[in-house]
């Protein structure tokens, strides 16, 4: 039976003649057969055109003119003709070698799939996924139970005293002691934040994300939100980097490469930098607003509002092709535990290799900054906008830290809360401002790398003013309404 | 080759005009730009294939072979199908 399936798919005469002419002219080794190369040319593959222009010297013009000459023979683009021919051959082969069983009722998977894509049932399902996956698992368990254990039990009671003791015994210079085990020391602050606060949060997030990803839920979410996302200049496809941004916005900025147009990539990068809090930051924010449900609701509404309004305006201002949406909806699957663990592990490794050195570096920079007085100067500079939005001057430090890593800054605020320096209103204003405030240094670098210097810097400057502006508005609004959260 | 004669075109409607559960055979594509046409071809939306519209809102979902795809209204209306009873 196999001999029925020819190796090459034959096309009709004009196309075959054209193919043999092209094959004769192609001299360079493209590492694929000459016929494949010629077919790519006929389908107007831009990469193949570029290669031919570079490598075929004087033959290139002749090649392009042959392609132009064949086009008028057909009333449809050649890519269309070729795909159709291939599809027919593929269907013929498939029909000859497969049998399709009769399918009974829809089955539970199909029913669940339809429910996820139903606009009325899909919404509550999304809320349930967010509530259990993000709030309960990442927020309460990761950022609550695990962080408390590592912070209070492991670091405060056991590790930090040991660090301080050892350093005091073996390091004779107080300046160096500060660097290693002082208030902002590499071990006592950088290492502790990275391991006790950030690690449990990103680990639980990446675990939850891997389960959601492997189940096939994301494409269904994408089709559900497509129409809403069109209003902010994105297509449903953008839901994947944006949800990943709730884990690590730096990683998500890299993932915006999967978006088809430059316009979508810029808008998504911008929204990730401005309005999508990463998991570490969100964990700390959930902890800060833990006993204040109204505060949490206000924080959430402001961030969602900013996301929609700024996205809407950006889509009005940005020139370029409007997004179109198409996506495969794979069957729902039960996630394989080994796959989920492997994905979580590799993402954590990536994150940790990136974050740990930065935390250490931040400690060193703060140490240098403190010795030289630069840090003090920047903090005093930041104290002004911080006071305008009604926060104690001490929180300026947290905002400066926030630039080294957003989560680092949020963790700084957490320290202030534990000391009882912030009331409810101040906590909400601080959380809003810090969520919108400049992305961490890693994300800033990623923005510049992916979007170029001009766009990367312009975004950051806008965000600097916008975050404090919004913080101020929230502060004023809370006061005018006489709310005490 | 699928026939593209004029009579045929008269009975042909955009996929976006089918009701959920209705089937059709793809007759031709009329996409706005070359990119959109390429996208459709690359996911296997090719004349002659039969499609089943699964749902219309909030996005169009159709079944093509053993695979389901979601597209927006614009792409759905560029796929022209001949309804099959």
């Amino acid at each position: 039976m196999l001999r029925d399936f020819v190796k090459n798919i034959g096309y009709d005469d004009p196309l075959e003649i054209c193919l043999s002419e092209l094959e004769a002219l192609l001299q360079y080794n493209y590492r694929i057969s000459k016929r494949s190369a010629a077919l790519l040319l006929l389908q107007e593959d831009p990469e193949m055109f570029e290669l031919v222009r570079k490598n075929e010297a004087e033959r290139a013009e002749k090649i392009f003119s042959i392609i132009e000459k064949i086009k008028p023979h057909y009333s449809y683009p050649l890519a269309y003709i070729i795909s159709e021919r291939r599809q027919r051959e593929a269907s013929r082969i498939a029909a000859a070698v497969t049998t399709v069983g009769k399918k009974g009722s829809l089955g539970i998977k199909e029913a669940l799939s339809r429910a996820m894509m139903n606009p009325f049932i899909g919404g509550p399902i999304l809320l349930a996924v967010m509530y259990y996956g993000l709030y309960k698992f990442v927020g309460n368990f990761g950022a609550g139970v695990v962080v408390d254990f590592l912070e209070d039990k492991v670091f405060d009671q056991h590790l930090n005293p040991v660090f301080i003791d050892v350093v005091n015994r073996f390091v004779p210079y107080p300046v160096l002691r500060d660097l290693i085990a002082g208030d902002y020391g590499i071990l006592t602050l950088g290492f502790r934040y990275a391991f006790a606060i950030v690690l449990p949060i990103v680990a639980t997030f990446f675990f939850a994300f891997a389960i959601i990803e492997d189940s096939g839920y994301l494409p269904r979410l994408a089709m559900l939100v497509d129409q809403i996302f069109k209003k902010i200049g994105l297509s449903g496809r953008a839901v994947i980097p944006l949800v990943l941004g709730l884990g690590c916005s730096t990683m998500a900025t890299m993932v915006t490469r999967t978006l088809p147009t430059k316009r979508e990539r810029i808008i998504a990068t911008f929204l990730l930098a401005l309005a999508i809090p990463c998991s570490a930051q969100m964990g700390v924010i959930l902890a800060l607003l833990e006993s204040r449900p109204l505060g949490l609701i206000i924080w959430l509404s402001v961030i969602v509002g900013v996301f929609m309004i700024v996205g809407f305006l950006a889509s009005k201002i940005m020139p370029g092709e409007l997004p179109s949406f198409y996506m495969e909806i794979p069957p729902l699957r039960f996630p394989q535990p080994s796959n989920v663990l492997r994905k979580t592990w590799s993402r954590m490794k990536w994150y940790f290799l990136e974050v740990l050195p930065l935390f250490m570096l931040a400690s060193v920079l703060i140490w240098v900054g403190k010795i030289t007085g630069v840090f003090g100067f920047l903090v005093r500079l930041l104290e002004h906008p911080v006071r305008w939005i009604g926060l104690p001057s001490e929180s300026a430090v947290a905002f400066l830290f926030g630039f080294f890593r957003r989560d680092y800054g949020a963790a700084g605020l957490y320290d202030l809360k534990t000391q009882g320096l912030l009331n409810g209103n101040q906590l909400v204003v601080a959380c809003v401002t810090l969520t919108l405030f400049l992305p961490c240094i890693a994300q800033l670098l990623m923005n510049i790398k992916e979007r170029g210097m001009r766009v990367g810097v312009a975004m950051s400057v806008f965000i600097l003013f916008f975050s404090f502006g919004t913080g101020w508005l929230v502060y004023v609004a809370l006061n005018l309404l006489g709310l005490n959260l | 080759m699928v026939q593209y004669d004029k009579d045929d075109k008269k009975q042909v409607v955009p996929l976006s005009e089918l009701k959920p559960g209705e089937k059709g055979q793809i007759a031709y594509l009329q996409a706005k730009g070359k990119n959109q046409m390429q996208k459709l071809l690359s996911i296997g939306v090719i004349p002659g294939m039969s499609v089943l519209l699964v749902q219309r809102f909030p996005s169009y979902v159709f079944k093509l072979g053993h695979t389901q795809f979601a597209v927006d209204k614009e792409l759905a209306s560029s796929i022209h199908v001949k309804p099959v009873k």
Side-chain angles (χ1 to χ4, degrees):
Chain A
M1 195 160 82
L2 270 174
R3 66 172 174 262
D4 293 344
F5 308 133
V6 283
K7 254 174 116 186
N8 280 335
I9 297 173
Y11 299 91
D12 58 356
D13 288 345
L15 209 58
E16 280 297 336
I17 294 167
C18 176
L19 277 171
S20 51
E21 281 176 17
L22 287 175
E23 282 173 55
L25 278 167
L26 291 168
Q27 304 284 318
Y28 180 76
N29 175 17
Y30 296 98
R31 293 168 168 212
I32 50 175
S33 75
K34 293 212 164 135
R35 189 177 169 91
S36 307
L39 277 166
L40 279 174
L41 285 171
L42 289 178
Q43 291 171 86
E44 298 185 72
D45 182 85
E47 247 175 83
M48 198 63 212
F49 265 73
E50 210 35 59
L51 283 173
V52 165
R53 195 167 291 131
K54 246 193 265 162
N55 299 309
E56 297 292 351
E58 74 287 347
R59 291 179 303 281
E61 281 316 305
K62 179 97 172 94
I63 290 171
F64 295 144
S65 77
I66 290 176
I67 297 167
E68 282 312 311
K69 239 177 22 213
I70 179 83
K71 280 186 187 169
H73 282 272
Y74 295 91
S75 49
Y76 285 87
L78 291 172
Y80 190 108
I81 307 283
I82 293 170
S83 301
E84 189 193 334
R85 177 72 191 92
R86 284 178 174 162
Q87 178 63 44
R88 245 188 324 144
E89 189 61 23
S91 304
R92 194 176 69 84
I93 298 174
V97 297
T98 55
T99 46
V100 183
K102 275 263 174 284
K103 231 175 150 186
S105 59
L106 278 178
I108 187 152
K109 273 188 183 171
E110 187 58 28
L112 185 58
S113 164
R114 299 261 165 113
M116 282 175 174
M117 295 195 287
N118 181 300
F120 303 105
I121 312 174
I125 292 180
L126 174 62
L127 287 182
V129 170
M130 294 294 246
Y131 181 76
Y132 287 103
L134 278 183
Y135 186 76
K136 281 286 180 198
F137 185 64
V138 180
N140 286 9
F141 176 71
V145 178
V146 185
V147 168
D148 283 349
F149 172 76
L150 290 175
E151 262 277 90
D152 300 345
K153 296 266 162 1
V154 179
F155 273 87
D156 278 0
Q157 292 182 13
H158 298 284
L159 287 178
N160 276 359
V162 175
F163 292 152
I164 294 168
D165 188 50
V166 169
V167 168
N168 281 344
R169 208 173 298 170
F170 296 103
V171 182
Y173 312 104
V175 179
L176 276 184
R177 276 184 204 164
D178 261 1
L179 173 64
I180 300 168
D183 277 350
Y184 302 111
I186 295 177
L187 289 178
T188 37
L189 186 94
F191 193 68
R192 173 171 69 96
Y193 274 6
F195 269 95
I197 298 183
V198 180
L199 177 69
I201 298 170
V202 292
T204 43
F205 178 85
F206 286 148
F207 184 74
F209 187 77
I211 291 178
I212 294 171
E213 199 182 20
D214 279 13
S215 68
Y217 177 63
L218 289 174
R220 288 168 174 82
L221 181 58
M223 71 72 77
L224 214 52
V225 299
D226 180 57
Q227 289 210 28
I228 302 167
F229 271 35
K230 289 270 168 66
K231 303 257 187 304
I232 55 171
L234 297 170
S235 83
R237 204 170 267 273
V239 86
I240 292 169
L242 290 181
V243 172
L244 185 61
L246 295 172
C248 172
S249 303
T250 307
M251 190 187 262
T253 303
M254 220 161 76
V255 173
T256 58
R257 285 180 199 167
T258 57
L259 302 178
T261 64
K262 191 176 162 198
R263 182 172 183 267
E264 286 167 81
R265 290 193 286 271
I266 291 181
I267 294 176
T269 305
F270 181 52
L271 290 174
L272 279 169
L274 179 69
I276 303 284
C278 63
S279 63
Q281 197 181 15
M282 211 163 21
V284 182
I285 282 166
L286 290 178
L288 284 173
L289 298 174
E290 200 174 28
S291 50
R292 295 184 167 80
L294 188 58
L296 195 61
I297 291 169
I298 293 177
W299 170 79
L300 191 66
S301 327
V302 172
I303 300 301
V304 172
V306 165
F307 178 84
M308 291 306 292
I309 294 167
V310 172
F312 178 73
L313 294 177
S315 78
K316 289 282 167 233
I317 296 166
M318 283 281 302
E321 205 184 326
L322 292 178
S324 72
F325 173 67
Y326 71 103
M327 202 167 204
E328 189 186 334
I329 310 281
L332 285 178
R333 291 208 173 88
F334 199 83
Q336 284 196 327
S338 63
N339 264 352
V340 169
L341 289 178
R342 204 173 309 137
K343 267 189 190 172
T344 310
W345 173 244
S346 71
R347 288 199 175 118
M348 266 171 64
K349 212 165 70 182
W350 180 88
Y351 184 80
F352 229 65
L353 289 177
E354 186 244 353
V355 62
L356 193 60
L358 272 170
F359 269 85
M360 306 278 182
L361 182 68
S363 280
V364 175
L365 286 177
I366 293 167
W367 177 74
V368 172
K370 264 170 81 178
I371 292 176
T372 54
V374 173
F375 187 59
F377 172 75
L378 287 177
V379 168
R380 275 195 302 281
L381 209 63
L382 264 178
E383 278 175 1
H384 298 285
V386 163
R387 271 199 298 268
W388 295 333
I389 61 172
L391 298 180
S393 313
E394 287 88 340
S395 47
V397 179
F399 280 93
L400 190 65
F401 282 14
F403 184 63
F404 293 106
R405 283 206 71 90
R406 285 206 278 189
D407 36 25
Y408 207 101
L413 283 179
Y414 188 72
D415 282 352
L416 283 181
K417 185 206 175 190
T418 341
Q419 292 160 27
L421 285 172
L422 295 169
N423 66 30
N425 286 12
Q426 288 173 323
L427 276 173
V428 173
V429 172
C431 286
V432 165
T433 313
L434 204 76
T435 308
L436 300 175
F437 191 56
L438 282 185
C440 68
I441 194 154
Q443 199 185 343
L444 176 72
L445 294 176
M446 186 63 85
N447 282 353
I448 290 172
K449 189 172 149 239
E450 295 284 315
R451 300 286 94 85
M453 184 60 99
R454 207 168 53 97
V455 176
V457 171
M459 278 180 187
S460 306
V461 173
F462 175 84
I463 289 169
L464 177 64
F465 288 98
F466 188 85
S467 60
F468 279 98
T470 312
W472 182 78
L473 280 177
V474 174
Y475 166 68
V476 171
L478 288 177
N479 279 351
L480 283 179
L481 295 170
L483 280 173
N484 276 313
L485 300 168
Chain B
M1 233 13 207
V2 177
Q3 294 300 306
Y4 302 108
D5 56 80
K6 288 230 168 69
D7 286 348
D8 224 25
K9 276 200 179 180
K10 276 183 192 154
Q11 314 157 16
V12 164
V13 295
L15 178 65
S16 52
E17 272 164 37
L18 291 187
K19 292 191 184 70
E22 284 185 345
K23 275 187 193 163
Q25 191 184 34
I26 301 174
Y28 60 96
L29 308 179
Q30 204 164 45
K32 217 173 52 182
K34 209 168 70 182
N35 284 343
Q36 297 216 348
M37 174 84 91
Q38 286 286 7
K39 270 175 210 161
L40 290 172
L41 290 175
S42 71
I43 61 175
V45 175
I46 288 160
M49 298 283 288
S50 33
V51 287
L52 165 74
L53 191 73
V54 177
Q55 97 181 57
R56 295 167 55 97
F57 183 80
S59 299
Y60 289 82
V61 177
F62 60 87
K63 218 172 154 174
L64 180 81
H66 298 284
T67 322
Q68 285 193 21
F69 289 98
V71 292
D72 55 19
K73 188 174 170 59
E74 206 187 335
L75 279 176
S77 25
S78 63
I79 305 171
H80 293 254
V81 300
K82 197 174 166 181
V84 176
K85 290 282 163 274

